[in-house]
Amino acid sequence: MSKSKVISTEDILSTLCHSVTGVLSSASGNSISYSAMVQKITRTCMRPDIGCFVLFDGGFTGLVITNFTSQAAMEIYQDYMRSMGMPEEEIAHSHLSDDVSNVLGELMNQIVGDFTSKVREQLHTSITQNQPKMMAINKQVQISVDTTMDRPQARRVTFTTSKQNIFYLELAMDKTEFIKLHDFDISEAVDPDDIIENEAKQKAAKEQAAKADAAGDADDDFMAELGL
């Protein structure tokens, strides 16, 4: 009898970390990495300078918190805005700006959305999320999940930006294990943006080929008129 594969809290945390690096690296155009060492912590907190929390529920219950230093927040925010083509004079230069909190909140929403999609594909279970709450704070604020947990676990992971600025992710969830009873194929997620981009490329290639054919026909007609 083959041994069943067990997916633990750390495996779920790893999936979340991949969502963080994937979304933020794509948004900022720079490399975001995380430490291979994970801290076990006793409580989750929002910490200065910018904190964000998201609750999720369903197949399992938990809480995700991201804590950005002002330097890390501004680096990610400004790189994202520049990649979107925003003029320099319209980009905020203080982490206390509402625009910074709004942008980071939207990026956090994308991160958790990507995470819930991966959970659905990889674990064959579903979780839902609330709207991320992002705010600039100057004091530590303790956050807990408003539900009963039999064996709560909390973890903290350190992330590093391309300019070596630091931010942290904290995950609190009930201790759980997913046991794979039999093998199954994990369907590859379909990105609508990729579909649109591929269709645009195919359309451009067809138009270019049509122009080349038209130019070739014109040359043939010209040569025919010359009797060549």
Side-chain angles (χ1 to χ4, degrees), residues 97-144:
S97 169
D98 289 340
D99 195 34
V100 176
S101 295
N102 291 338
V103 168
L104 291 180
E106 173 55 32
L107 291 176
M108 188 63 185
N109 192 43
Q110 294 180 30
I111 288 169
V112 181
D114 185 75
F115 171 63
T116 57
S117 177
K118 285 182 168 65
V119 166
R120 184 167 54 251
E121 296 161 6
Q122 299 174 7
L123 302 181
H124 284 201
T125 190
S126 178
I127 56 175
T128 58
Q129 68 184 78
N130 72 335
Q131 186 68 25
K133 305 296 187 297
M134 178 78 69
M135 63 192 74
I137 56 177
N138 56 16
K139 292 183 180 180
Q140 180 172 297
V141 179
Q142 184 174 349
I143 302 290
S144 61

Side-chain angles (χ1 to χ4, degrees), residues 104-221:
L104 291 180
E106 173 55 32
L107 291 176
M108 188 63 185
N109 192 43
Q110 294 180 30
I111 288 169
V112 181
D114 185 75
F115 171 63
T116 57
S117 177
K118 285 182 168 65
V119 166
R120 184 167 54 251
E121 296 161 6
Q122 299 174 7
L123 302 181
H124 284 201
T125 190
S126 178
I127 56 175
T128 58
Q129 68 184 78
N130 72 335
Q131 186 68 25
K133 305 296 187 297
M134 178 78 69
M135 63 192 74
I137 56 177
N138 56 16
K139 292 183 180 180
Q140 180 172 297
V141 179
Q142 184 174 349
I143 302 290
S144 61
V145 181
D146 186 20
T147 187
T148 302
M149 286 192 179
D150 295 329
R151 293 177 296 170
Q153 292 186 318
R155 304 285 188 268
R156 179 188 296 137
V157 183
T158 302
F159 289 78
T160 307
T161 68
S162 60
K163 294 182 181 178
Q164 303 303 304
N165 290 314
I166 302 296
F167 66 95
Y168 302 92
L169 179 140
E170 297 183 6
L171 169 67
M173 60 178 291
D174 201 0
K175 183 176 182 179
T176 185
E177 292 181 343
F178 286 86
I179 302 171
K180 182 189 288 187
L181 298 179
H182 58 82
D183 291 332
F184 56 84
D185 294 328
I186 297 177
S187 58
E188 186 175 351
V190 177
D191 190 338
D193 292 336
D194 290 341
I195 295 176
I196 295 172
E197 183 179 355
N198 290 334
E199 288 183 350
K201 287 180 179 179
Q202 291 176 6
K203 182 179 180 181
K206 289 180 180 179
E207 290 177 351
Q208 187 174 2
K211 289 179 180 179
D213 291 340
D217 293 341
D219 290 340
D220 291 342
D221 293 342

Side-chain angles (χ1 to χ4, degrees), residues 17-112:
C17 289
H18 278 95
S19 292
V20 173
T21 56
V23 170
L24 294 185
S25 295
S26 176
S28 66
N30 293 316
S31 175
I32 307 290
S33 60
Y34 64 94
S35 172
M37 301 299 294
V38 178
Q39 293 176 269
K40 287 186 176 182
I41 55 178
T42 57
R43 59 194 178 101
T44 53
C45 296
M46 291 179 63
R47 307 170 192 274
D49 295 302
I50 293 183
C52 178
F53 70 92
V54 179
L55 291 167
F56 55 84
D57 199 1
F60 53 90
T61 301
L63 167 70
V64 176
I65 293 177
T66 50
N67 291 310
F68 295 90
T69 61
S70 59
Q71 295 86 354
M74 292 307 297
E75 178 185 349
I76 293 171
Y77 160 77
Q78 291 179 343
D79 286 346
Y80 172 69
M81 298 301 283
R82 292 186 183 107
S83 71
M84 296 291 288
M86 188 68 63
E88 195 67 31
E89 61 272 13
E90 296 184 19
I91 299 177
H93 295 280
S94 170
H95 73 279
L96 299 177
S97 169
D98 289 340
D99 195 34
V100 176
S101 295
N102 291 338
V103 168
L104 291 180
E106 173 55 32
L107 291 176
M108 188 63 185
N109 192 43
Q110 294 180 30
I111 288 169
V112 181

